Amino acid sequence: MPAIDAEPYPFAFDPARAALLIIDMQRDFLEPGGFGEMLGNDVAQLRRTIEPNRRLLAAWRAAGLPVIHTREGHRPDLADLPPSKKIRGGGPRTIGDAGPMGRILVRGEPGHDIIPELYPQAGEPVIDKPGKGAFFATDLHAILQHRGIAQLIVTGVTTEVCVNTTVREANDRGYDCLVPADCAGSYFPEFHEAGLRMIAAQGGIFGWVGQSDAVIAALGQPPASLKGAA
Ligand code: C5J
């Protein structure tokens, strides 16, 4: 099995049981003029992750391994939006209201969709999630189980919110997660760093943290089962 250099120790990568899980790379979070920027955030902090994600996604697809995308958002009737989430932040415009790219975090609206650079291809499941974690109120666990997935390479935004919550949920369900640091981003660099440190702390209490180049390099290696085969 190829080992991927990572903290706190090398990740024993098993491509036959691994999926790439890309969290919430949505226009409203990443694009200038979207909801994230409307709230006063610097989207450049997230946009630096686009190119590393694009390269990793291309290599992953070329290797023929499964890709799953997520989007944070709600039903147009907002029936799945907790009142507590609706009013959180206290701003004049909140989830469900008209925003710069359609209704904010509502499924089907332009801002809710995934950025064109990382757009899902046919056959790649897109998980629409109402919460921060990708396992809460979704069929992600069932999809992974049906495909025999035990390892997740988790990328996306934001490091300390939806990426971290998803890694913790996955860890409790028995998945080994590796987060390539250059493929995850936060509006707040200090939260990005702390979010990654929390994952790998205490001997990898939630998982591993590495770099996308190391994952891409591991994809180029033959699976252990094929090594030495004539
Ligand atoms: C995500 C958020 N995707 N920060 N959402 O992290 O509200």
Side-chain angles (χ1 to χ4, degrees):
M1 231 177 261
I4 298 176
D5 190 32
E7 295 293 334
Y9 56 87
F11 183 79
F13 183 43
D14 183 359
R17 306 190 69 202
L20 176 62
L21 181 61
I22 306 178
I23 303 292
D24 299 359
M25 293 294 277
Q26 292 163 253
R27 297 185 59 202
D28 248 336
F29 292 131
L30 283 119
E31 290 194 350
F35 175 51
E37 193 173 73
M38 186 189 90
L39 294 176
N41 295 304
D42 175 12
V43 293
Q45 294 292 340
L46 304 194
R47 293 190 66 78
R48 66 159 184 78
T49 70
I50 295 175
E51 183 54 22
N53 266 291
R54 196 194 58 72
R55 281 191 283 109
L56 177 58
L57 178 59
W60 198 269
R61 283 173 173 158
L65 303 184
V67 180
I68 298 176
H69 307 258
T70 73
R71 300 184 294 204
E72 180 179 352
H74 297 274
R75 295 162 47 114
D77 63 5
L78 304 184
D80 61 350
L81 176 62
S84 58
K85 188 176 179 184
K86 171 68 179 160
I87 61 170
R88 193 71 56 79
R93 284 192 282 175
T94 59
I95 295 171
D97 294 339
M101 292 185 182
R103 292 178 68 202
I104 296 165
L105 294 191
V106 169
R107 295 175 192 156
E109 299 289 335
H112 173 263
D113 210 354
I114 292 174
I115 57 171
E117 295 91 331
L118 302 175
Y119 211 74
Q121 289 184 350
E124 295 175 353
V126 178
I127 306 291
D128 278 321
K129 62 187 188 57
K132 304 306 182 191
F135 289 85
F136 170 67
T138 74
D139 51 11
L140 176 59
H141 187 53
I143 291 172
L144 296 172
Q145 293 295 296
H146 298 161
R147 295 176 181 209
I149 300 298
Q151 298 186 342
L152 296 171
I153 308 300
V154 186
T155 76
V157 299
T158 63
T159 313
E160 78 279 16
V161 184
C162 291
V163 172
N164 228 278
T165 306
T166 297
V167 167
R168 291 170 187 229
E169 287 182 330
N171 182 62
D172 279 347
R173 287 165 177 77
Y175 298 96
D176 283 333
C177 294
L178 169 67
V179 179
D182 53 330
C183 291
S186 168
Y187 298 121
F188 309 99
E190 68 274 27
F191 291 169
H192 173 71
E193 292 304 326
L196 295 176
R197 285 178 57 198
M198 284 180 197
I199 290 169
Q202 301 183 71
I205 195 156
F206 298 124
W208 286 256
V209 175
Q211 295 292 330
S212 61
D213 281 352
V215 180
I216 292 169
L219 288 170
Q221 296 183 26
S225 57
L226 296 181
K227 273 187 187 154

